[in-house]
Amino acid sequence: MLKLGFCSKFLLASKHIGLRRLNVCFYHHSQELEEEFPPSEWYEKAYPKFLKLTHILKNVDMNNGRLMNMDENSIVIDDHIDREMNEFKSLGRAFIAAPSMQKQHFSATHSIPNTCFSKPNERESLILNSLTKVSDFLDVSAQQRKSVRLKICPQVTQHHIWRGALVEQLNNLKSEMGVLCSHPITIGVQLGEQIVSNCIQFLTKTMNSSATDSPSWMRLAPTKKADHRPSRRWGDVLEMFGDLAKCLKHEKRLEDHVLKLEGMREGLYQIKDVLIDGDLGYREARHQEFLVQKKLTANLGHSSRCLFTLLLYYLNGSVRDIEVEVRGGVYGRGSGSFCLCVGKVLTSENERMVWSGIKQLDRALGLFKFVWEIAGMKGALELQGHVWCVGAKERLVRYKGNVFLVHGIRLR
């Protein structure tokens, strides 16, 4: 049975720029069929629209699901700009696929696999929000996935990683709700802001002295509870996260955060009976931290969104899912070595934009490399990032030991 492939992207772009409907459908069979491309006139008509969008969106970029003004380092909330950005990215992928671009960029540099981004699915986007997606991309076997979980869990479920990821998630949510306050807001967002503030305050007050760098003999013994108040537990945070998710479940602009809240609730449920009091004695506090790690390690599966969030925080100090705009793939290079390529289309050749794009790609490449190595995949893996933008000078950049190639998009 034939399956519809890449044609919809060209049809969508054609609709946006007012071109006639083009019969440029691509299909995939059990055997790979040769890809067809639109006629040269399509590119000639689409290019002016692409240039216009480049000018309109200059220094605006998609940063892991958020529209950002890179000059002001601020979040952009504008449905019209969001639609234009989606159109820009769609056209950008179409130009990457152009035969002239493939020849220009990939045959001229011997270090880039000739097949890189040559297939339609390799020019699609990919949101990395679970270990399963990362493992699928790398073709990690079921047995290797079990090994990955067993190796990752003890590292990422340490108490300071767990608490840090929760606080980071709440701070991110608080920041974005603050941006929404400049627009008409709902009662749900108003209530959500109160819950977020209370939850951050709760986590701060229950921070135990064992989390500091002071040696145990220097720490003061806990004071006796005069009021005999009941001990606080992680279940209190679980309840707050549940209320917060209910308040924000209809807020489209915050849906990614709601998914994160739901994911972290999975972990909170596993440790809901573990004490979280800040005035526990040193030994008891260490025991409670051990229980957090033990319960999370035992119960968070390979496909757990909570486990993936902890991994992101462990690797990058951030809990945001990673969006790869041009997914690329893993390509064999002979002699048992491989090259992993991913890419991004930028609205400007400004150095700040280029470096921002490189750093975003590096985050994805680092995640892939980590899972590749911890899964014990055979063969050396080279990492490559590619950024495309109009007017850019072709060059090779090295960042953290990896290769990043900057490409100019031009009609000819």
Side-chain angles (χ1 to χ4, degrees), residues 219-271:
R219 297 173 191 150
L220 297 174
T223 57
K224 190 175 181 179
K225 300 176 186 176
D227 56 357
H228 301 287
R229 61 176 175 77
S231 296
R232 290 171 288 192
R233 302 175 185 273
W234 282 107
D236 298 324
V237 183
L238 172 63
E239 185 177 349
M240 284 188 277
F241 268 52
D243 292 339
L244 186 55
K246 289 178 183 177
C247 288
L248 303 179
K249 66 180 180 180
H250 298 303
E251 301 297 329
K252 183 174 176 56
R253 298 184 191 277
L254 299 173
E255 59 185 356
D256 290 343
H257 290 280
V258 174
L259 288 174
K260 280 288 182 185
L261 292 171
E262 293 290 351
M264 298 308 283
R265 285 186 68 204
E266 175 194 358
L268 287 166
Y269 181 80
Q270 304 300 333
I271 61 172

Side-chain angles (χ1 to χ4, degrees), residues 61-64 117 126 128 316 322-328 340-346 353-369 383-388 399-400 402-407:
D61 191 24
M62 289 298 298
N63 189 336
N64 296 323
F117 309 114
L126 173 66
L128 300 175
N316 305 299
I322 300 174
E323 181 176 2
V324 181
E325 291 180 8
V326 186
R327 63 185 296 165
L340 191 158
C341 298
V342 293
K344 184 175 179 64
V345 182
L346 302 175
M353 286 283 289
V354 171
W355 276 105
S356 174
I358 286 174
K359 290 175 181 178
Q360 289 177 52
L361 292 177
D362 182 73
R363 189 174 170 222
L365 291 172
L367 174 61
F368 285 130
K369 182 77 168 180
L383 305 177
Q384 283 189 3
H386 298 255
V387 294
W388 293 267
Y399 179 70
K400 293 185 178 180
N402 297 325
V403 174
F404 295 86
L405 295 112
V406 181
H407 309 293

Side-chain angles (χ1 to χ4, degrees), residues 113-146:
N114 290 331
T115 56
C116 192
F117 309 114
S118 62
K119 299 176 183 178
N121 68 314
E122 293 167 358
R123 296 187 294 271
E124 295 175 353
S125 63
L126 173 66
I127 297 178
L128 300 175
N129 53 20
S130 72
L131 265 177
T132 299
K133 281 194 176 181
V134 177
S135 297
D136 288 344
F137 187 90
L138 298 175
D139 198 22
V140 178
S141 69
Q143 185 61 34
Q144 288 170 315
R145 294 182 193 209
K146 181 179 179 181

Side-chain angles (χ1 to χ4, degrees), residues 25 47 49 110 166 193 204 217-218 240 244 286 308 311 321 337 352 360 367 383 398 402 406:
C25 292
Y47 193 65
K49 176 63 175 179
H110 70 276
L166 288 176
E193 284 189 303
T204 302
W217 60 267
M218 292 179 61
M240 284 188 277
L244 186 55
R286 292 288 292 176
F308 186 72
L311 175 60
D321 292 336
S337 64
R352 183 175 180 180
Q360 289 177 52
L367 174 61
L383 305 177
R398 292 191 180 274
N402 297 325
V406 181

